[in-house]
């Protein structure tokens, strides 16, 4: 399916946008999504090449299939969407927890389900989790829970959908991503000092790992931590 698209759900910003840029730059047909049609179109224009943008809200899973109706054959699917929920069990915000849990577990799964009729045996999927699955921090109750859910989700999907390959990528703090790049230097320096490679993970590191998971024809059901050794210390 060499003419099949690379679809990046959550490709209007951050890591998804960089993955879209990589594949557009190598001549692939790319589709990026945002919750908003204008932002999706702007992102597609910024990515360039043969890229289009569509609107899709994973927190409304009943509407995902209709939102993806015009997407043709899909060779590589990346789902990186996130709407962060800062939450604790002592001061539990049910609305935020429900929104993120729906987005990242039901929404991610429904995207794969809705596209199955447009995937071939050689298609591949990368779902984004995050290192909070293994290392909670104050306020990460929902984030830790859903990223833990991603670790199991890829295992069952890899079995159910074989030979389609399904993997998960779990970044640590990505220092040059939009979410982190403007944080106070003291915060970033503290994180850097705890990272064995001596620097924070970069967006280029994440794109490289995503491409590996999408294209290596033997890897499926894997949970790849891209963390500069953070979990070792
Ligand atoms: N950045 C990091 O350091 C880091 C670390 C660990 C894990 N991660 C994981 O890596 C992934 C990408 O993170 P990022 O920092 O690159 O994200 P980001 O820059 O915040 O981008 C988030 C993307 O998700 C989309 N989105 C938000 N709410 C959505 C919804 N309800 N339905 C569909 N799309 C929605 C946004 O689109 P619009 O706003 O245009 O709608 C945007 O395209 C996430 O899954 C995150 O958990 C990132």
């Amino acid at each position: 399916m060499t003419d099949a698209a690379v679809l990046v759900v959550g490709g209007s910003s951050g890591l998804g946008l960089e993955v879209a840029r990589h594949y557009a730059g190598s001549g692939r047909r790319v589709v990026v999504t945002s919750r908003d049609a204008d932002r999706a179109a702007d992102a597609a224009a910024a990515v360039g090449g043969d890229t289009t943008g569509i609107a899709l809200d994973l927190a409304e899973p009943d509407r995902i299939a209709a939102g993806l109706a015009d997407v043709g054959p899909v060779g590589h699917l990346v789902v990186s969407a996130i709407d962060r929920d800062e939450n604790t069990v002592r001061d539990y915000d049910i609305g935020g927890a429900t929104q993120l849990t729906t987005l990242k577990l039901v929404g991610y799964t429904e995207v794969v389900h809705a596209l199955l009729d447009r995937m071939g045996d050689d298609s591949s999927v990368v779902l984004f989790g995050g290192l909070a699955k293994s290392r909670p921090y104050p306020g990460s109750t929902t984030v830790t829970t859903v990223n833990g859910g991603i670790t199991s989700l890829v295992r069952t999907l890899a079995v159910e959908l074989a030979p389609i390959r399904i993997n998960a990528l779990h970044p640590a703090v990505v220092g040059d991503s939009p979410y982190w790049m403007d944080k106070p230097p003291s915060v970033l320096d503290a994180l850097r000092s705890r990272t064995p490679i001596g620097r924070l993970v970069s967006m280029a590191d994440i794109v490289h790992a995503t491409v590996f998971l999408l294209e290596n024809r033997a890897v499926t059901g894997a949970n790849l931590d891209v963390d500069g050794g953070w979990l070792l210390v």
Side-chain angles (χ1 to χ4, degrees):
M1 300 177 80
T2 49
D3 62 335
V6 178
L7 170 61
V8 187
V9 175
S12 66
S13 172
L15 308 178
L17 183 64
E18 291 307 301
V19 172
R21 282 200 173 104
H22 168 86
Y23 278 107
S26 59
R28 294 289 297 257
R29 187 167 67 83
V30 174
V31 181
V32 293
T33 82
S34 162
R35 285 164 293 183
D36 178 79
D38 289 340
R39 274 203 304 278
D42 289 347
V47 168
D50 185 4
T51 304
T52 52
I54 61 172
L56 197 67
D57 188 342
L58 299 196
E60 297 186 5
D62 290 334
R63 301 174 64 172
I64 288 173
L68 294 171
D70 293 336
V71 174
V74 174
H76 297 316
L77 167 64
V78 176
V79 193
S80 59
I82 184 79
D83 186 7
R84 290 173 173 87
D85 172 46
E86 197 173 318
N87 216 331
T88 68
V89 70
R90 290 188 189 281
D91 191 15
Y92 199 46
D93 172 12
I94 292 174
T98 303
Q99 175 97 353
L100 180 54
T101 305
T102 302
L103 185 169
K104 208 154 194 186
L105 297 182
V106 182
Y108 274 37
T109 308
E110 172 58 8
V111 168
V112 176
H113 165 252
L115 291 169
L116 280 178
D117 61 354
R118 280 153 282 170
M119 289 195 202
D121 286 355
D122 58 352
S123 294
S124 60
V125 179
V126 168
L127 306 182
F128 271 66
L131 225 63
K133 70 177 172 49
S134 306
R135 184 160 292 177
Y137 54 86
S140 78
T141 299
T142 318
V143 172
T144 293
T145 301
V146 296
N147 287 340
I150 292 289
T151 66
S152 298
L153 180 58
V154 292
R155 293 170 63 80
T156 191
L157 294 186
V159 172
E160 288 184 58
L161 302 180
I164 297 173
R165 295 181 304 97
I166 322 272
N167 293 292
L169 194 158
H170 301 278
V173 165
V174 181
D176 59 347
S177 66
Y179 183 73
W180 282 101
M181 61 189 300
D182 293 328
K183 296 276 192 266
S186 58
V187 171
L188 296 174
D189 287 345
L191 291 165
R192 199 173 290 118
S193 71
R194 285 163 41 204
T195 307
I197 59 171
R199 64 171 177 84
L200 295 178
V201 171
S202 70
M203 296 212 286
D205 296 326
I206 300 300
V207 172
H208 188 268
T210 305
V211 170
F212 161 71
L213 291 174
L214 288 171
E215 297 187 9
N216 183 289
R217 299 176 67 85
V219 180
T220 192
N223 282 283
L224 181 61
D225 296 333
V226 182
D227 69 346
W230 212 44
L231 283 183
L232 297 173
V233 295

Short mmCIF file of all heavy atoms in Angstrom, two decimals, residues 9-16 33-36 39-40 56-60 79-84 99 103-104 108 128-131 143 147 170-175 177-180, ligand 1:
data_model
loop_
_atom_site.label_atom_id
_atom_site.label_comp_id
_atom_site.label_asym_id
_atom_site.label_seq_id
_atom_site.Cartn_x
_atom_site.Cartn_y
_atom_site.Cartn_z
N VAL A 9 -3.31 11.46 13.89
CA VAL A 9 -4.42 11.98 14.68
C VAL A 9 -3.81 12.72 15.87
O VAL A 9 -3.19 12.12 16.75
CB VAL A 9 -5.36 10.85 15.14
CG1 VAL A 9 -6.44 11.40 16.07
CG2 VAL A 9 -5.98 10.16 13.94
N GLY A 10 -3.97 14.05 15.86
CA GLY A 10 -3.23 14.91 16.79
C GLY A 10 -2.01 15.48 16.09
O GLY A 10 -1.02 15.81 16.74
N GLY A 11 -2.11 15.61 14.79
CA GLY A 11 -0.96 16.08 13.99
C GLY A 11 -0.93 17.59 13.80
O GLY A 11 -0.12 18.08 13.01
N SER A 12 -1.77 18.32 14.54
CA SER A 12 -1.75 19.79 14.37
C SER A 12 -0.73 20.46 15.28
O SER A 12 -0.56 21.68 15.22
CB SER A 12 -3.14 20.37 14.66
OG SER A 12 -3.48 20.18 16.02
N SER A 13 -0.06 19.68 16.13
CA SER A 13 0.86 20.29 17.10
C SER A 13 1.89 19.25 17.54
O SER A 13 1.69 18.04 17.39
CB SER A 13 0.05 20.77 18.31
OG SER A 13 0.90 21.20 19.36
N GLY A 14 2.99 19.74 18.09
CA GLY A 14 3.92 18.91 18.85
C GLY A 14 4.49 17.72 18.10
O GLY A 14 4.92 17.81 16.94
N LEU A 15 4.49 16.59 18.77
CA LEU A 15 5.16 15.40 18.26
C LEU A 15 4.47 14.88 16.99
O LEU A 15 5.13 14.47 16.04
CB LEU A 15 5.19 14.32 19.34
CG LEU A 15 5.76 14.78 20.70
CD1 LEU A 15 5.71 13.66 21.72
CD2 LEU A 15 7.18 15.31 20.54
N GLY A 16 3.14 14.93 16.99
CA GLY A 16 2.41 14.48 15.80
C GLY A 16 2.74 15.33 14.59
O GLY A 16 2.92 14.81 13.48
N THR A 33 -4.89 15.71 11.80
CA THR A 33 -6.17 16.10 12.40
C THR A 33 -5.96 17.10 13.53
O THR A 33 -4.91 17.14 14.18
CB THR A 33 -6.95 14.89 12.97
OG1 THR A 33 -6.45 14.55 14.27
CG2 THR A 33 -6.89 13.69 12.04
N SER A 34 -7.02 17.87 13.74
CA SER A 34 -7.17 18.79 14.87
C SER A 34 -8.64 18.71 15.27
O SER A 34 -9.46 18.23 14.49
CB SER A 34 -6.81 20.21 14.44
OG SER A 34 -7.31 21.16 15.36
N ARG A 35 -8.97 19.20 16.46
CA ARG A 35 -10.40 19.30 16.77
C ARG A 35 -11.08 20.33 15.89
O ARG A 35 -12.29 20.29 15.69
CB ARG A 35 -10.60 19.69 18.24
CG ARG A 35 -10.34 18.58 19.21
CD ARG A 35 -10.16 19.10 20.61
NE ARG A 35 -8.95 19.91 20.74
CZ ARG A 35 -8.52 20.44 21.87
NH1 ARG A 35 -9.20 20.26 22.97
NH2 ARG A 35 -7.41 21.16 21.89
N ASP A 36 -10.30 21.26 15.35
CA ASP A 36 -10.84 22.40 14.63
C ASP A 36 -10.40 22.34 13.15
O ASP A 36 -9.22 22.16 12.86
CB ASP A 36 -10.29 23.68 15.29
CG ASP A 36 -10.74 24.92 14.58
OD1 ASP A 36 -11.88 25.34 14.80
OD2 ASP A 36 -9.95 25.46 13.78
N ARG A 39 -7.68 24.89 12.14
CA ARG A 39 -6.34 24.52 12.66
C ARG A 39 -5.77 23.34 11.88
O ARG A 39 -4.57 23.26 11.62
CB ARG A 39 -6.39 24.19 14.14
CG ARG A 39 -6.27 25.38 15.06
CD ARG A 39 -5.76 25.00 16.45
NE ARG A 39 -6.54 24.01 17.14
CZ ARG A 39 -7.66 24.24 17.81
NH1 ARG A 39 -8.13 25.46 17.88
NH2 ARG A 39 -8.31 23.27 18.43
N ALA A 40 -6.64 22.41 11.51
CA ALA A 40 -6.18 21.26 10.72
C ALA A 40 -5.66 21.72 9.37
O ALA A 40 -4.60 21.27 8.91
CB ALA A 40 -7.32 20.25 10.55
N LEU A 56 -11.36 16.34 13.90
CA LEU A 56 -11.72 15.10 14.59
C LEU A 56 -11.56 15.33 16.08
O LEU A 56 -10.53 15.82 16.53
CB LEU A 56 -10.76 13.97 14.16
CG LEU A 56 -11.20 12.54 14.44
CD1 LEU A 56 -12.41 12.18 13.59
CD2 LEU A 56 -10.06 11.57 14.16
N ASP A 57 -12.58 14.98 16.86
CA ASP A 57 -12.52 15.12 18.32
C ASP A 57 -12.63 13.73 18.95
O ASP A 57 -13.69 13.11 18.91
CB ASP A 57 -13.64 16.03 18.81
CG ASP A 57 -13.50 16.37 20.29
OD1 ASP A 57 -12.76 15.65 21.00
OD2 ASP A 57 -14.12 17.36 20.73
N LEU A 58 -11.54 13.27 19.53
CA LEU A 58 -11.54 11.91 20.10
C LEU A 58 -12.34 11.83 21.39
O LEU A 58 -12.65 10.72 21.84
CB LEU A 58 -10.11 11.44 20.37
CG LEU A 58 -9.17 11.33 19.18
CD1 LEU A 58 -7.95 10.49 19.56
CD2 LEU A 58 -9.83 10.76 17.96
N ALA A 59 -12.67 12.97 21.97
CA ALA A 59 -13.51 12.95 23.18
C ALA A 59 -14.99 12.75 22.83
O ALA A 59 -15.82 12.68 23.72
CB ALA A 59 -13.31 14.22 23.99
N GLU A 60 -15.28 12.69 21.52
CA GLU A 60 -16.64 12.39 21.05
C GLU A 60 -16.57 11.14 20.18
O GLU A 60 -16.70 11.21 18.95
CB GLU A 60 -17.20 13.58 20.27
CG GLU A 60 -17.35 14.83 21.12
CD GLU A 60 -18.05 15.96 20.37
OE1 GLU A 60 -18.50 15.76 19.22
OE2 GLU A 60 -18.13 17.05 20.94
N VAL A 79 -1.41 7.88 16.44
CA VAL A 79 -2.41 8.57 17.27
C VAL A 79 -1.66 9.18 18.44
O VAL A 79 -1.18 8.46 19.33
CB VAL A 79 -3.53 7.63 17.74
CG1 VAL A 79 -4.68 8.46 18.32
CG2 VAL A 79 -4.06 6.77 16.59
N SER A 80 -1.56 10.50 18.42
CA SER A 80 -0.77 11.21 19.44
C SER A 80 -1.59 12.26 20.16
O SER A 80 -1.04 13.04 20.95
CB SER A 80 0.45 11.87 18.77
OG SER A 80 0.04 12.78 17.77
N ALA A 81 -2.90 12.29 19.92
CA ALA A 81 -3.73 13.36 20.50
C ALA A 81 -3.73 13.32 22.02
O ALA A 81 -3.71 12.25 22.63
CB ALA A 81 -5.16 13.23 19.98
N ILE A 82 -3.77 14.50 22.61
CA ILE A 82 -3.83 14.61 24.09
C ILE A 82 -4.51 15.92 24.46
O ILE A 82 -4.30 16.94 23.81
CB ILE A 82 -2.40 14.57 24.70
CG1 ILE A 82 -2.44 14.60 26.24
CG2 ILE A 82 -1.55 15.75 24.23
CD1 ILE A 82 -2.77 13.29 26.87
N ASP A 83 -5.34 15.87 25.47
CA ASP A 83 -5.90 17.07 26.11
C ASP A 83 -5.64 16.85 27.59
O ASP A 83 -6.38 16.16 28.27
CB ASP A 83 -7.39 17.18 25.79
CG ASP A 83 -7.99 18.49 26.29
OD1 ASP A 83 -7.23 19.35 26.76
OD2 ASP A 83 -9.23 18.62 26.24
N ARG A 84 -4.54 17.42 28.08
CA ARG A 84 -4.00 17.03 29.39
C ARG A 84 -4.98 17.32 30.53
O ARG A 84 -5.60 18.38 30.57
CB ARG A 84 -2.66 17.74 29.63
CG ARG A 84 -1.57 17.20 28.71
CD ARG A 84 -0.29 18.00 28.81
NE ARG A 84 0.79 17.38 28.06
CZ ARG A 84 1.00 17.59 26.75
NH1 ARG A 84 0.21 18.40 26.08
NH2 ARG A 84 1.98 16.97 26.13
N GLN A 99 -13.07 13.12 30.37
CA GLN A 99 -12.67 13.66 29.05
C GLN A 99 -11.39 12.96 28.55
O GLN A 99 -11.33 12.48 27.42
CB GLN A 99 -12.43 15.17 29.19
CG GLN A 99 -11.90 15.86 27.95
CD GLN A 99 -12.99 16.51 27.13
OE1 GLN A 99 -14.18 16.34 27.43
NE2 GLN A 99 -12.61 17.24 26.11
N LEU A 103 -10.95 10.22 25.58
CA LEU A 103 -10.08 10.55 24.44
C LEU A 103 -9.03 9.46 24.21
O LEU A 103 -8.88 8.93 23.11
CB LEU A 103 -9.41 11.89 24.73
CG LEU A 103 -8.51 12.61 23.72
CD1 LEU A 103 -8.24 14.02 24.20
CD2 LEU A 103 -7.21 11.89 23.45
N LYS A 104 -8.30 9.12 25.29
CA LYS A 104 -7.08 8.34 25.07
C LYS A 104 -7.32 6.84 25.04
O LYS A 104 -6.53 6.10 24.46
CB LYS A 104 -6.01 8.69 26.11
CG LYS A 104 -4.61 8.46 25.52
CD LYS A 104 -3.52 9.29 26.13
CE LYS A 104 -2.28 9.23 25.25
NZ LYS A 104 -1.11 9.88 25.78
N TYR A 108 -8.83 6.51 21.07
CA TYR A 108 -7.72 5.89 20.33
C TYR A 108 -8.19 4.55 19.72
O TYR A 108 -7.90 4.24 18.56
CB TYR A 108 -6.53 5.62 21.26
CG TYR A 108 -5.54 6.77 21.45
CD1 TYR A 108 -5.96 8.10 21.53
CD2 TYR A 108 -4.19 6.51 21.61
CE1 TYR A 108 -5.05 9.13 21.74
CE2 TYR A 108 -3.26 7.54 21.81
CZ TYR A 108 -3.69 8.85 21.87
OH TYR A 108 -2.77 9.86 22.07
N PHE A 128 0.49 6.80 21.08
CA PHE A 128 1.36 7.50 22.03
C PHE A 128 0.84 7.35 23.45
O PHE A 128 -0.31 7.66 23.74
CB PHE A 128 1.46 8.99 21.67
CG PHE A 128 2.59 9.29 20.73
CD1 PHE A 128 2.57 8.80 19.44
CD2 PHE A 128 3.67 10.03 21.14
CE1 PHE A 128 3.61 9.05 18.55
CE2 PHE A 128 4.73 10.30 20.28
CZ PHE A 128 4.70 9.81 18.98
N GLY A 129 1.71 6.86 24.32
CA GLY A 129 1.48 6.89 25.75
C GLY A 129 2.39 7.93 26.35
O GLY A 129 2.53 9.03 25.82
N GLY A 130 3.04 7.59 27.44
CA GLY A 130 3.96 8.52 28.07
C GLY A 130 4.54 7.89 29.32
O GLY A 130 3.96 6.95 29.88
N LEU A 131 5.67 8.42 29.74
CA LEU A 131 6.39 7.79 30.84
C LEU A 131 5.68 7.89 32.19
O LEU A 131 6.04 7.17 33.12
CB LEU A 131 7.80 8.39 30.94
CG LEU A 131 8.89 7.35 31.12
CD1 LEU A 131 8.95 6.44 29.92
CD2 LEU A 131 10.22 8.00 31.38
N VAL A 143 -3.47 10.95 33.80
CA VAL A 143 -2.45 10.73 32.77
C VAL A 143 -1.75 9.38 32.99
O VAL A 143 -1.54 8.60 32.05
CB VAL A 143 -1.43 11.89 32.76
CG1 VAL A 143 -0.26 11.59 31.84
CG2 VAL A 143 -2.11 13.18 32.33
N ASN A 147 -2.11 6.30 30.30
CA ASN A 147 -0.89 5.82 29.63
C ASN A 147 -0.60 4.38 30.02
O ASN A 147 -0.07 3.61 29.22
CB ASN A 147 0.28 6.75 29.93
CG ASN A 147 0.16 8.07 29.17
OD1 ASN A 147 -0.56 8.14 28.19
ND2 ASN A 147 0.84 9.09 29.64
N HIS A 170 6.36 5.62 24.37
CA HIS A 170 6.18 6.35 25.64
C HIS A 170 7.33 7.33 25.82
O HIS A 170 8.42 6.94 26.27
CB HIS A 170 6.13 5.35 26.80
CG HIS A 170 5.03 4.34 26.68
ND1 HIS A 170 3.74 4.61 27.05
CD2 HIS A 170 5.03 3.08 26.19
CE1 HIS A 170 2.98 3.55 26.83
NE2 HIS A 170 3.74 2.61 26.30
N PRO A 171 7.11 8.61 25.46
CA PRO A 171 8.18 9.59 25.64
C PRO A 171 8.32 10.00 27.11
O PRO A 171 7.34 10.02 27.86
CB PRO A 171 7.70 10.80 24.83
CG PRO A 171 6.47 10.38 24.09
CD PRO A 171 5.91 9.20 24.83
N ALA A 172 9.55 10.35 27.48
CA ALA A 172 9.76 11.15 28.70
C ALA A 172 9.49 12.61 28.32
O ALA A 172 8.95 12.89 27.24
CB ALA A 172 11.18 10.96 29.19
N VAL A 173 9.82 13.52 29.19
CA VAL A 173 9.69 14.94 28.87
C VAL A 173 10.48 15.25 27.61
O VAL A 173 11.69 14.97 27.53
CB VAL A 173 10.20 15.80 30.05
CG1 VAL A 173 10.41 17.25 29.62
CG2 VAL A 173 9.23 15.71 31.22
N VAL A 174 9.80 15.81 26.62
CA VAL A 174 10.45 16.16 25.35
C VAL A 174 10.74 17.66 25.40
O VAL A 174 9.84 18.50 25.30
CB VAL A 174 9.54 15.79 24.15
CG1 VAL A 174 10.24 16.13 22.85
CG2 VAL A 174 9.17 14.30 24.21
N GLY A 175 12.01 17.98 25.60
CA GLY A 175 12.41 19.33 25.98
C GLY A 175 12.06 20.40 24.98
O GLY A 175 11.78 21.55 25.35
N SER A 177 9.50 20.21 22.81
CA SER A 177 8.09 20.15 22.38
C SER A 177 7.36 21.39 22.89
O SER A 177 7.76 21.98 23.90
CB SER A 177 7.43 18.87 22.91
OG SER A 177 7.35 18.89 24.33
N PRO A 178 6.30 21.81 22.19
CA PRO A 178 5.62 23.05 22.58
C PRO A 178 5.16 23.05 24.03
O PRO A 178 5.20 24.10 24.68
CB PRO A 178 4.41 23.11 21.62
CG PRO A 178 4.78 22.25 20.47
CD PRO A 178 5.73 21.20 20.97
N TYR A 179 4.76 21.91 24.54
CA TYR A 179 4.25 21.86 25.92
C TYR A 179 5.34 22.16 26.94
O TYR A 179 5.08 22.73 28.00
CB TYR A 179 3.63 20.48 26.19
CG TYR A 179 3.02 20.38 27.57
CD1 TYR A 179 1.83 21.04 27.87
CD2 TYR A 179 3.65 19.65 28.59
CE1 TYR A 179 1.27 20.96 29.13
CE2 TYR A 179 3.10 19.57 29.85
CZ TYR A 179 1.90 20.23 30.12
OH TYR A 179 1.36 20.15 31.38
N TRP A 180 6.59 21.79 26.61
CA TRP A 180 7.67 21.91 27.59
C TRP A 180 8.65 23.05 27.32
O TRP A 180 9.33 23.52 28.22
CB TRP A 180 8.47 20.59 27.67
CG TRP A 180 7.75 19.56 28.46
CD1 TRP A 180 7.01 18.51 27.97
CD2 TRP A 180 7.66 19.47 29.89
NE1 TRP A 180 6.47 17.79 29.00
CE2 TRP A 180 6.86 18.36 30.19
CE3 TRP A 180 8.17 20.23 30.94
CZ2 TRP A 180 6.55 17.98 31.50
CZ3 TRP A 180 7.88 19.85 32.24
CH2 TRP A 180 7.08 18.75 32.51
N1 LIG B 1 5.46 16.50 24.87
C1 LIG B 1 5.96 15.65 25.76
O1 LIG B 1 6.99 15.92 26.39
C2 LIG B 1 5.28 14.34 26.01
C3 LIG B 1 5.76 13.55 27.08
C4 LIG B 1 5.13 12.33 27.33
C5 LIG B 1 4.08 11.91 26.53
N2 LIG B 1 3.65 12.69 25.50
C6 LIG B 1 2.55 12.20 24.69
O2 LIG B 1 2.83 12.43 23.32
C7 LIG B 1 1.62 12.76 22.64
C8 LIG B 1 1.80 14.09 21.90
O3 LIG B 1 2.08 15.09 22.89
P1 LIG B 1 2.39 16.60 22.44
O4 LIG B 1 3.06 17.26 23.59
O5 LIG B 1 3.05 16.57 21.10
O6 LIG B 1 0.90 17.18 22.31
P2 LIG B 1 0.40 18.65 21.92
O7 LIG B 1 1.48 19.48 21.31
O8 LIG B 1 -0.31 19.19 23.12
O9 LIG B 1 -0.66 18.33 20.77
C9 LIG B 1 -1.82 17.68 21.11
C10 LIG B 1 -2.58 17.31 19.86
O10 LIG B 1 -3.79 16.62 20.25
C11 LIG B 1 -4.89 17.26 19.62
N3 LIG B 1 -6.07 17.15 20.48
C12 LIG B 1 -6.30 17.73 21.68
N4 LIG B 1 -7.49 17.35 22.16
C13 LIG B 1 -8.02 16.51 21.24
C14 LIG B 1 -9.24 15.80 21.15
N5 LIG B 1 -10.18 15.87 22.11
N6 LIG B 1 -9.46 15.02 20.06
C15 LIG B 1 -8.55 14.96 19.06
N7 LIG B 1 -7.38 15.61 19.07
C16 LIG B 1 -7.12 16.39 20.16
C17 LIG B 1 -4.44 18.70 19.42
O11 LIG B 1 -5.18 19.28 18.38
P3 LIG B 1 -5.96 20.69 18.49
O12 LIG B 1 -5.54 21.36 19.78
O13 LIG B 1 -5.53 21.43 17.28
O14 LIG B 1 -7.39 20.28 18.49
C18 LIG B 1 -3.00 18.49 19.01
O15 LIG B 1 -2.92 18.14 17.65
C19 LIG B 1 0.51 12.79 23.68
O16 LIG B 1 -0.21 11.58 23.62
C20 LIG B 1 1.25 12.92 24.99
O17 LIG B 1 0.56 12.31 26.05
C21 LIG B 1 4.22 13.89 25.23
#
